[in-house]
Amino acid sequence: DEGFAPRYIVPKEKKAIAIAKGIAARNGLDESAISRKESFKQGWYVNVPNDGKWVVNSEPVTIEVNTTPRTIDQIVPTSRPIFEATAAEGLVAHVNVAAERSGMGHIHVGAARMAESPFFAHPLLLRNVMVYFHKNPALLHGFAEAFDIGLDSNIETYHDEKRQEVFRDAVAEFDAWYDGASATERKRGLNKFIAILDRRDSYDIGFFRHYRFLNLEHLHRGDFTRNDTGKITAEFRNFRPPKNPETAKAFAELLFAVMEKQSAPDVKET
């Protein structure tokens, strides 16, 4: 679409349904697997047996495709039918510079149960990842566009003086708590860090606002237990649409390499 076009225009709707049909066909399904999605983001469901509902959404300036959660090794075979179906309709992975804070290409990290989430299993991980990316802007903007830099971008950071001060103080408070906590208390480190961010937050800081480079809005709902389920993910918005399935996998592998390094027990990124 050119510029900030409406979600629901006829040409886009035609392409969205054609993409849904193409994805279904490439998964060995007929059109009976497709159903209408009526919600804030209207679109189409592709009901994949023994998997769940894939979603084709009409968004401003894009058509968005969401699958059910995947491991890294599943990214290429899962996404190839999507790239093929969209290419058949003349669409490619692309960021429109005329679009207001256009999204696309982001990576959500989580688990089916909170106990399996890396951020819950490794109490310092969220803290460390936020600090590491803050210290290394090349990892924030190296996969993005020039217009993604700044306080009104799609990848807002904490490099503004006030934001940086509050972020630094929040990390320092968490570190003081962690150093004095017992081994049992440290297992609740994710909850404690989220609570500290929440208490120090304001509209201008926006730890849980959607457009931060690490979108924490789905972790903002409170005191997690091991058995919690649902959309309990952190969204890394510093990645832009990959050009092919192999690039998508490479992005995920890079992110997980950073996370693996930052999950070492009792090691704080400084």
Side-chain angles (χ1 to χ4, degrees), residues 134 151 157-170 200-207:
H134 181 76
L151 292 181
T157 71
Y158 299 107
H159 292 105
D160 168 79
E161 183 177 359
K162 179 60 176 178
R163 289 182 185 176
Q164 186 163 254
E165 178 185 354
V166 174
F167 180 43
R168 182 185 63 239
D169 291 346
R200 291 180 174 270
D201 200 14
S202 67
Y203 181 85
D204 292 332
I205 305 303
F207 285 124

Side-chain angles (χ1 to χ4, degrees), residues 7 77 126 163 165 219 267:
R7 285 188 177 90
L126 183 61
R163 289 182 185 176
E165 178 185 354
L219 295 176
V267 175

Side-chain angles (χ1 to χ4, degrees), residues 223-256:
D223 195 22
F224 293 108
T225 68
R226 294 175 55 84
N227 294 320
D228 284 337
T229 59
K231 191 173 184 179
I232 42 179
T233 62
E235 179 190 17
F236 290 82
R237 298 179 62 84
N238 52 309
F239 294 95
R240 282 307 210 173
K243 301 303 181 184
N244 53 56
E246 290 75 20
T247 304
K249 181 181 179 182
F251 283 175
E253 288 175 329
L254 171 63
L255 175 57
F256 274 54

Side-chain angles (χ1 to χ4, degrees), residues 173 189-201 208:
E173 180 183 346
L190 173 64
N191 289 331
K192 184 65 175 181
F193 188 54
I194 291 294
I196 291 172
L197 294 180
D198 188 38
R199 181 162 44 77
R200 291 180 174 270
D201 200 14
F208 302 96

